[in-house]
Amino acid sequence: MAEHIPILRMGDFLLVSIQVEMHDNLALALQDDLTRAIERTGARGVLIDITALDMVDSFIGRVIGDTSSMSRLLDAQTVLVGMRPAVAITLVELGMSMTGVRTALTVERGMQMLREGLSEARDDADTEI
Amino acid sequence: MPIQKSETLPLRSDQEVVLARQAVRRVAQECKFSLVDQTKIVTAASELARNTVIYGGGGEMVCEVVLEGPRTGLRLIFSDQGPGIPDLAQALTDGWTSGNGLGLGLSGAKRLVNDFDIVTAPGAGTRITIARWR
C-alpha cells in the first residue's frame, strides 16, 4: 500500500504534520488527500506543519504552494508553520519565494491565524445579511 | 585534488532521490558544514537527482569529499545516459522547463553551490558536477 501522511481533523480545521522524509509521490498523495478531506469535511482551514522537514526543494515547495491555492478555491485557508531558518534561506536562494502561502512560526500562532481568519469571514457574512 | 572519500548511489526512483539526499546530508555533517550550507547542498542534490531520474531516465550520483589545500569540499557528480540537453543556455534559464516543473531545478541548484559544471550533448547523456566548499 502506498504511504500516506495522516490528516487530523480539529473542529473546522485540518492538521497535517509532516514527520517523514518527503519523496515526490508522497507529496502528491498529500495534495490529493488534503483536497478530498476539505471537500468531505467542509474544513475552513488547513495547517501544515513542516517543523520536521530539514529540506524543501522546488518540487515540495511547489506542491505546498499548489495545495494552498487549491484549498483556497475550496474555501479553506492554509497556513504553513514551522519552517526552519536554513530552509527559508535555501528556498529563497533557490528562487522560490512561496508568495501566496501564509506562514506562521509555530503551530500555536498558525492556529490563531486560522481562527481569526474564520471569525472575520463570519463577521463579513453577518454584515452582508 | 585528493579525494578523501567517495561513494556512488543509484538514482532510478523518487525513493532513491531521498536516499541520495540523506547520504549528502550525512557527508555534509561529517565535513562539518554549517546547517545552512548543509541545507543548500542537500537541496541542490535533490533538484539534480530528480532531474537525473525524470529527464535522464535514471543514472547515478557520486558523492566525494575532496581536499584542496586547506579547504574541504563536498563534490557531487550526477550522470545519466539519457537524451541530453539540446539547448543548455535555455535549460539554465530561470523558469524554463521542458517538463511540468517550475524550471528552477538547474538554475536554482547552480545558485546553491560554489562550483557548477555541466557536460551534455543531444543523445549523449548529461553529467553535472557541483561542489560546495567549507
Side-chain angles (χ1 to χ4, degrees):
Chain A
M1 209 189 97
E3 256 182 286
H4 288 268
I5 293 168
I7 298 172
L8 309 175
R9 186 175 180 185
M10 203 173 118
D12 286 316
F13 307 128
L14 298 175
L15 307 182
V16 178
S17 187
I18 302 171
Q19 300 288 334
V20 293
E21 184 83 52
M22 285 281 263
H23 58 75
D24 294 2
N25 284 318
L26 188 59
L28 291 174
L30 175 64
Q31 186 169 78
D32 214 42
D33 291 346
L34 250 184
T35 46
R36 281 168 206 262
I38 294 169
E39 189 209 16
R40 196 176 60 244
T41 62
R44 301 300 307 280
V46 177
L47 187 131
I48 303 176
D49 170 35
I50 58 164
T51 311
L53 284 191
D54 61 15
M55 187 228 59
V56 174
D57 64 11
S58 68
F59 185 85
I60 298 171
R62 177 170 67 114
V63 171
I64 291 172
D66 285 355
T67 305
S68 165
S69 307
M70 290 168 190
S71 306
R72 196 176 310 119
L73 292 172
L74 297 170
D75 197 21
Q77 299 301 313
T78 301
V79 178
L80 182 68
V81 308
M83 185 181 292
R84 299 184 185 184
V87 172
I89 291 168
T90 304
L91 262 181
V92 171
E93 203 154 310
L94 188 63
M96 293 216 70
S97 43
M98 307 279 289
T99 37
V101 178
R102 300 176 72 199
T103 58
L105 271 183
T106 61
V107 172
E108 203 172 349
R109 285 203 219 167
M111 286 303 291
Q112 195 184 338
M113 272 170 84
L114 287 177
R115 278 192 292 266
E116 285 167 6
L118 191 55
S119 64
E120 274 168 32
R122 284 187 176 140
D123 288 348
D124 288 349
D126 288 347
T127 341
E128 275 165 32
I129 300 164
Chain B
M1 221 186 296
I3 298 169
Q4 198 183 41
K5 179 180 171 171
S6 176
E7 58 182 300
T8 304
L9 289 103
L11 291 172
R12 288 173 309 240
S13 64
D14 65 342
Q15 273 88 358
E16 287 181 341
V17 171
V18 171
L19 294 178
R21 70 193 186 215
Q22 285 171 344
V24 174
R25 169 78 64 180
R26 178 171 37 78
V27 177
Q29 280 168 349
E30 285 166 11
C31 293
K32 298 195 166 55
F33 275 70
S34 72
L35 190 55
V36 171
D37 283 354
Q38 283 175 35
T39 309
K40 285 181 181 176
I41 187 104
V42 170
T43 307
S46 185
E47 300 292 344
L48 298 176
R50 177 181 299 106
N51 283 356
T52 300
V53 172
I54 294 177
Y55 302 111
E60 62 176 34
M61 177 187 84
V62 177
C63 177
E64 292 173 341
V65 178
V66 288
L67 303 174
E68 192 187 66
R71 46 177 208 166
T72 304
L74 179 49
R75 184 163 69 193
L76 306 173
I77 304 155
F78 298 84
S79 55
D80 66 62
Q81 305 300 316
I85 303 170
D87 187 341
L88 193 55
Q90 189 182 43
L92 283 167
T93 310
D94 262 351
W96 188 86
T97 175
S98 63
N100 56 3
L102 287 170
L104 290 173
L106 270 189
S107 53
K110 191 177 175 191
R111 277 194 293 273
L112 293 175
V113 295
N114 302 120
D115 302 343
F116 183 95
D117 179 62
I118 179 165
V119 178
T120 183
T126 300
R127 181 186 164 94
I128 298 178
T129 306
I130 60 172
R132 198 160 174 108
W133 298 92
R134 193 186 50 140

